[in-house]
Amino acid sequence: MLSRFKACLVGAVVGDCIGSNFEGLLAVKLSDVVNSVLKLEECNQQAQEKEEAGPSPKYFYTDDTAMARSVAASLLDKKHFDARDMADRFATEYFNDPDRGYGGSVVTVFENLKDPDLIDVFRPASMQFGGRGSFGNGGAMRIAPAALFAFHDNDLAKLKVLVSSITRITHTHHLAINGAILQAFAVDQSLRQQQQPVDADEFIDSLISKMKPVEEESSAGKTPADNTREKKDGHPTPYCYKLLKIKELLKNRDLHVEDVVNELGNDVSAFGSVPAAVFSFLKAATQNIPELNGRNKFEQTVLYAIGLGGDTDTIATMAAAIAGALYGMEQIPKAWQIYCEGVEDAERAAEELFKLGSL
Ligand code: F2R
Ligand code: MG
Ligand code: MG
Ligand code: MG
């Protein structure tokens, strides 16, 4: 289990670092993605042959990892959710290192969080987008450490509250919150997964059974204006709807990337990216991806997720967190670990989170 904890956070880092090379590209060739990791692997091979010390990182992490590090650090330091502490860490991290590719609007939240007179740390986020809140994937992209922190409690209701609280510091739209909850549930479920290969239908059915009450509760009492995006998608439990779509897509043996993107999305919204991450994990877990022959399931998850294009760093970081939680460190190539920035810190944080559970 320690190896799975580590691979969850290390996986998230390498997914972000490798994926960020393609972020924003609408169409990504899988061969280009494979070439981007071959570069790392060849570099590592050459370094070994020359017996050189490990060179400095080549691929850098972005806001996804920067914010996940703050989540982990705050939970480890306080040993519970402390809204003020976590908000301070988000803002401080941003102002110390603003060029990590943060979302266009979330930076306003950080600016407002720096106000010394601020009493309610959730208020700046609740003011975003005319009071509707952000539906970006910034909550989901950073949430993996929360699933590790809550793992030993084995209490989904508690995990849900924790995830919702962490997300609401920057994102208050229910699609952002529920997307983060889905991502955390997927990581939790993957950590608890006993058998391999994964049964995709079972994995999805289990997620639906957990998400249905969450979505029903959050849509209760909402006005139609609150539910703009659900209205657009015509479903009262939109994440459950997309989970069912994932099942359908996995049964299509002549599936193209465009079909996946059309059905699930690949953009910076939580609704347009968390289901794509879950899909990437299950696609690699249950099927042979011919272009990725010779790669293990973790590698296939990351490379496939990036191949969806769009918000590649974020879809890859989320898919990799789920995959790492199942496969463990053995499946994360050494070269990826050496050349992606932030891996050692992620490994250390995961170890501390693991130890916290056994206290
Ligand atoms: N920002 C990016 N990528 C852009 C390019 C980065 C490039 N590499 C660079 O360095 O310049 N990536 C990162 O942002 C995503 C996470 O974003 P987050 O934290 O959710 O931010 P925000 O600002 O809250 O939301 C993102 C955008 O979504 C739209 N949006 C959100 N809620 C909305 C609402 N209620 N109504 C209308 N639009 C809404 C806005 O356009 C926001 O700016 C990750 O991909 C991360 O990697
Ligand atoms: Mg990013
Ligand atoms: Mg991104
Ligand atoms: Mg505990």
Side-chain angles (χ1 to χ4, degrees), residues 6-83:
K6 286 182 179 179
C8 176
L9 296 197
V10 170
V13 171
V14 302
D16 178 22
C17 289
I18 299 167
S20 68
N21 295 311
F22 299 88
E23 192 183 18
L25 298 177
L26 290 183
V28 171
K29 278 200 242 152
L30 209 41
S31 56
D32 288 343
V33 186
V34 171
N35 283 336
S36 79
V37 294
L38 273 174
K39 248 191 248 170
L40 304 184
E41 289 154 5
E42 281 161 11
C43 224
N44 188 38
Q45 183 73 32
Q46 285 163 6
Q48 278 180 347
E49 281 163 9
K50 289 186 203 150
E51 293 180 357
E52 277 177 2
S56 56
K58 288 260 168 61
Y59 291 170
F60 297 94
Y61 69 74
T62 75
D63 57 330
D64 306 57
T65 301
M67 296 198 82
R69 285 159 67 101
S70 292
V71 170
S74 180
L75 292 173
L76 281 167
D77 186 21
K78 298 291 169 186
K79 316 244 176 336
H80 64 98
F81 172 67
D82 180 324

Side-chain angles (χ1 to χ4, degrees), residues 23 63-64 137 268 311-314:
E23 192 183 18
D63 57 330
D64 306 57
N137 54 20
V268 295
D311 195 358
T312 49
D313 63 331
T314 304

Side-chain angles (χ1 to χ4, degrees), residues 160-176:
K160 185 195 120 178
V161 172
L162 176 66
V163 170
S164 166
S165 305
I166 293 172
T167 304
R168 285 190 301 108
I169 297 174
T170 50
H171 294 67
T172 61
H173 195 287
H174 60 282
L175 284 174

Side-chain angles (χ1 to χ4, degrees), residues 206-259:
S206 177
L207 281 178
I208 290 174
S209 72
K210 294 165 188 169
M211 285 305 294
K212 196 159 179 278
V214 171
E215 290 204 284
E216 283 171 351
E217 189 191 338
S218 71
S219 66
K222 285 241 153 56
T223 65
D226 293 326
N227 291 327
T228 324
R229 284 177 68 84
E230 286 93 318
K231 262 174 58 188
K232 185 173 156 242
D233 290 284
H235 207 278
T237 54
Y239 281 105
C240 291
Y241 173 78
K242 279 205 176 170
L243 287 167
L244 284 171
K245 274 275 167 231
I246 291 175
K247 269 169 91 167
E248 259 176 50
L249 289 169
L250 286 169
K251 290 188 172 66
N252 180 350
R253 294 290 147 175
D254 184 33
L255 188 69
H256 300 277
V257 159
E258 300 75 45
D259 305 322

Side-chain angles (χ1 to χ4, degrees), residues 113-135:
L113 284 173
K114 273 292 178 198
D115 177 354
D117 297 326
L118 184 73
I119 294 166
D120 177 6
V121 296
F122 297 104
R123 187 169 160 76
S126 72
M127 306 292 282
Q128 295 286 89
F129 297 97
R132 289 172 60 224
S134 170
F135 52 60

Side-chain angles (χ1 to χ4, degrees), residues 92-103:
T92 303
E93 170 66 36
Y94 169 71
F95 285 105
N96 283 343
D97 195 2
D99 297 328
R100 290 281 182 180
Y102 283 87

